[in-house]
Amino acid sequence: SGETSYKVFSISPALLITGNNVIAVEIHQNSKTSDDLSFNLRLIGIQSCNPPSNLFETNISSTQALLGWAIIANALEYKLQYRVLGASTWKNKTVYTNQVLLDNLLPNTNYEWRVKTTCTVIGSVFSNTESFSTLPPPCIEPAGLYTN
């Protein structure tokens, strides 16, 4: 019957405090005449990851920037957000290494970015926000000029 059926529930880490926590469980039998009852509780804690640190920007051009950070042990992926400084909406990118090349950026523009780690079910908070500026567009030599 239902003795081999298990119910799985998640408890938000926000509900737990440092130190001892009490978990209360209420059990109801399927029938008043049933004399069989079993209960098994297993609590598994899943530790979240640290947010990335040592963020850096390099190889910045007018339309590209290479962003990077220190590797986080046990990271499955990183969630990167970036936007033009002052914009309300973040652009999102999932990456599987500790570096990412952003392209199709606007020349001579200030950007901000942040990144978080996913290790298990629970990920980290976002890192501190960093910023960089793309370079002005390259000068194009005028064509068709002549002198008298």
Side-chain angles (χ1 to χ4, degrees):
S1 66
E3 291 178 27
T4 57
S5 299
Y6 294 97
K7 303 288 185 196
V8 177
F9 298 93
S10 295
I11 299 173
S12 168
L15 297 174
L16 302 176
I17 60 170
T18 301
N20 294 327
N21 291 269
V22 176
I23 298 175
V25 178
E26 187 174 320
I27 301 171
H28 298 269
Q29 288 182 282
N30 193 29
S31 167
K32 291 181 184 181
T33 59
S34 174
D35 60 357
D36 186 29
L37 180 68
S38 65
F39 176 74
N40 184 5
L41 174 69
R42 181 170 52 164
L43 182 62
I44 301 171
I46 301 173
Q47 185 175 3
S48 65
C49 307
N50 290 323
S53 60
N54 301 326
L55 280 61
F56 64 90
E57 307 88 21
T58 188
N59 296 344
I60 298 173
S61 72
S62 59
T63 59
Q64 294 183 329
L66 180 64
L67 310 179
W69 51 90
I71 294 172
I72 300 294
N74 302 320
L76 299 174
E77 64 185 20
Y78 299 96
K79 303 276 188 178
L80 175 87
Q81 291 187 326
Y82 68 99
R83 65 184 175 188
V84 171
L85 189 64
S88 59
T89 307
W90 291 95
K91 292 184 179 183
N92 298 294
K93 206 167 189 137
T94 300
V95 296
Y96 301 95
T97 65
N98 65 318
Q99 290 187 354
V100 61
L101 179 67
L102 298 182
D103 53 9
N104 298 316
L105 301 175
L106 299 172
N108 205 29
T109 303
N110 297 321
Y111 285 89
E112 60 183 345
W113 67 285
R114 61 189 184 177
V115 62
K116 69 179 181 176
T117 311
T118 303
C119 290
T120 57
V121 177
I122 302 171
S124 75
V125 296
F126 275 101
S127 65
N128 292 329
T129 301
E130 295 288 326
S131 60
F132 66 92
S133 298
T134 53
L135 300 176
C139 292
I140 299 173
E141 192 172 310
L145 296 179
Y146 62 93
T147 59
N148 286 335

